[in-house]
């Protein structure tokens, strides 16, 4: 596929720093110091993702986004996640933030794929 | 933007069934009845993902792919994952498979975004 994206200016590339800020803000705002609670977890993952997607679309860049959020209670269990992407190395990118408080681990990943 | 030619034939749309089979085969092949092992987990997630990406690219469809794999030990901890996508709903799709054996949970997601 011929890519018509000759113009790799800042507006058209995935900015890990910008996205990283967006994710951290999202998690701090939605969870902060809350204690893990079974009945709130759904709400939290949804809010974090909604916040991320809203802020990302506001950047106005020509990208499709996939945002993923995992919340796990701190209970001694082992958790391992990995991801692989078949994309365009020059324009696409991802950002994964691992965050935690006293009772839970939160992992948020955002993938940005140029249109 | 700019996608006037939306002839969604089998060759160019995301097939949940096909992808679902690819994922299930990968997990069965790589993990099967194995017992959760901290030092093998990294290898497992990589292999599952590698197998998925290989099979997906063999389909020869005009898509970019994002594959994620999560393995969690069965230990009583609560886990919640969510994802949201900003994409073209007519051509793009995702497939998420939740799998388990006696000692672990495995969640594999594949997102396919039309080029």
């Amino acid at each position: 596929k011929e890519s018509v994206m000759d113009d790799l200016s800042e507006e058209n590339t995935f900015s890990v720093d910008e996205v990283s800020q967006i994710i951290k803000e999202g998690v701090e705002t939605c969870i902060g110091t809350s204690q893990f609670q079974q009945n709130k977890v759904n709400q939290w993952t949804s809010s974090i993702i909604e916040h991320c997607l809203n802020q990302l679309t506001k950047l106005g860049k020509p990208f499709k986004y996939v945002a993923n959020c995992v919340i796990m209670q701190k209970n001694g269990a082992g958790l391992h996640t990995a991801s692989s992407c078949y994309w365009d190395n020059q324009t696409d990118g991802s950002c994964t933030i691992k965050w935690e408080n006293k009772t839970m681990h939160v992992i948020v990943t955002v993938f940005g794929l140029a249109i | 933007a700019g996608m006037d030619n939306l002839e969604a034939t089998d060759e160019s749309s995301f097939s949940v069934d096909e992808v679902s089979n690819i994922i299930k085969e990968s997990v069965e092949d790589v993990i099967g009845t194995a017992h959760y092992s901290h030092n093998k987990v990294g290898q497992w997630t990589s292999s599952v993902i590698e197998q998925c990406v290989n099979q997906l690219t063999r389909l020869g469809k005009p898509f970019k792919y994002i594959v994620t794999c999560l393995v969690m030990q069965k230990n009583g901890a609560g886990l919640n994952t969510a994802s949201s996508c900003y994409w073209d709903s007519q051509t793009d799709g995702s497939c998420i498979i939740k799998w388990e054996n006696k000692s672990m949970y495995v969640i594999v997601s594949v997102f396919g975004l039309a080029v």
Side-chain angles (χ1 to χ4, degrees):
Chain A
K1 288 265 149 178
E2 240 58 45
S3 167
V4 281
M5 300 209 39
D6 301 297
D7 172 30
L8 286 180
S9 57
E10 266 186 32
E11 285 84 54
N12 291 333
T13 51
F14 187 83
S15 164
V16 178
D17 293 330
E18 248 179 339
V19 177
S20 163
Q21 283 295 97
I22 288 175
I23 295 176
K24 287 176 186 164
E25 259 178 42
V27 182
E28 289 287 346
T29 310
C30 302
I31 299 185
T33 52
S34 306
Q35 268 232 339
F36 179 86
Q37 259 179 275
Q38 177 67 24
N39 52 11
K40 285 201 178 159
V41 159
N42 273 333
Q43 217 174 298
W44 288 334
T45 47
S46 300
S47 307
I48 290 173
I49 284 179
E50 201 181 310
H51 178 276
C52 286
L53 242 40
N54 283 342
Q55 297 296 97
L56 288 165
T57 49
K58 268 188 210 169
L59 296 177
K61 296 188 173 186
F63 278 82
K64 288 181 178 178
Y65 295 105
V66 176
N68 191 43
C69 175
V70 177
I71 294 183
M72 184 175 83
Q73 186 179 14
K74 278 188 173 176
N75 201 25
L79 175 80
H80 190 104
T81 97
S83 57
S84 182
C85 308
Y86 181 72
W87 61 20
D88 180 336
N89 290 334
Q90 291 195 308
T91 55
D92 305 335
S94 68
C95 179
T96 304
I97 298 293
K98 197 164 80 72
W99 182 97
E100 65 186 278
N101 68 12
K102 286 193 179 157
T103 54
M104 54 184 145
H105 289 289
V106 179
I107 302 174
V108 180
T109 309
V110 169
F111 300 90
L113 296 98
I115 294 177
Chain B
M3 298 205 43
D4 302 295
N5 200 19
L6 284 179
E7 278 173 2
T9 59
D10 273 354
E11 287 82 50
S12 56
S13 56
F14 188 83
S15 163
V16 179
D17 292 330
E18 244 177 342
V19 175
S20 164
N21 281 337
I22 287 175
I23 295 176
K24 287 175 187 164
E25 258 179 44
S26 301
V27 182
E28 288 287 344
D29 280 348
V30 174
I31 299 182
T33 51
H35 195 81
Y36 181 86
S37 157
H38 179 75
N39 49 15
K40 285 199 181 160
V41 161
Q43 219 175 296
W44 288 335
T45 48
S46 299
S47 304
V48 168
I49 283 178
E50 201 181 312
Q51 194 164 319
C52 284
V53 175
N54 285 342
Q55 298 295 95
L56 288 166
T57 49
R58 264 187 224 167
L59 295 177
K61 296 187 174 187
F63 277 82
K64 289 181 178 178
Y65 294 105
I66 291 174
V67 181
T68 71
C69 175
L70 181 159
V71 176
M72 185 174 82
Q73 185 180 16
K74 278 186 174 178
N75 201 25
L79 176 85
N80 189 295
T81 102
S83 53
S84 184
C85 310
Y86 181 72
W87 61 18
D88 181 336
S89 12
Q90 292 195 306
T91 55
D92 305 336
S94 66
C95 179
I96 303 181
I97 298 294
K98 195 163 81 77
W99 183 96
E100 66 185 278
N101 67 14
K102 286 191 181 159
S103 56
M104 56 185 140
Y105 291 108
V106 178
I107 301 177
V108 179
S109 339
V110 170
F111 300 90
L113 298 99
V115 173

